[in-house]
Amino acid sequence: MSKKDFENMSPKEIEDYFGVTQEQIEEWDDMLVRGEIPGVSVGEVVVGRPLKFGEHLRLMGFKETEQKIERMDKRADSLGMKRSDYLRWLVDKDLASVDVA
């Protein structure tokens, strides 16, 4: 069916077509907003990157030019890494080279 077909249907016809009522959709939305997913046990939602080795992480960052960021992204991609992983790898490599890691 195309979008035009649905535009010409009544709400009841659309519910019948999909086999779901507006009330069911609203009930599912309420459940999802509360963090309940039918058939899936969900624990507490924790935002952010998981702990590494049980240690808490702190955010750090710096500003850089667009051109340098593009070069970093290209290099990270060539190594099969994301930018953040690439930067972590560089820092780890440098600290290990001076026996600070």
Side-chain angles (χ1 to χ4, degrees):
M1 278 194 143
S2 70
K3 183 178 175 182
K4 270 196 181 280
D5 294 327
F6 287 110
E7 289 173 353
N8 296 322
M9 294 173 75
S10 71
K12 177 67 176 139
E13 289 173 320
I14 293 173
E15 288 178 354
D16 291 342
Y17 180 83
F18 286 105
V20 177
T21 65
Q22 181 66 33
E23 291 79 22
Q24 287 173 307
I25 293 172
E26 290 171 7
E27 181 182 332
W28 294 339
D29 180 59
D30 291 340
M31 288 173 55
L32 293 172
V33 167
R34 290 190 308 267
E36 300 170 11
I37 301 173
V40 177
S41 60
V42 177
E44 177 187 357
V45 175
V46 178
V47 178
R49 185 183 178 112
L51 297 178
K52 293 177 86 174
F53 309 110
E55 297 179 43
H56 288 277
L57 303 178
R58 289 181 24 201
L59 179 65
M60 62 158 292
F62 59 95
K63 294 185 180 201
E64 195 52 81
T65 64
E66 288 288 328
Q67 294 82 8
K68 194 174 279 186
I69 291 171
E70 288 173 11
R71 291 173 57 209
M72 283 189 279
D73 288 346
K74 185 175 181 180
R75 177 63 175 145
D77 189 53
S78 75
L79 295 169
M81 298 178 172
K82 294 181 181 178
R83 181 192 310 154
S84 56
D85 294 326
Y86 172 64
L87 294 173
R88 282 187 201 93
W89 175 73
L90 287 174
V91 169
D92 289 344
K93 186 175 171 181
D94 179 66
L95 292 175
S97 75
V98 293
D99 201 28
V100 177

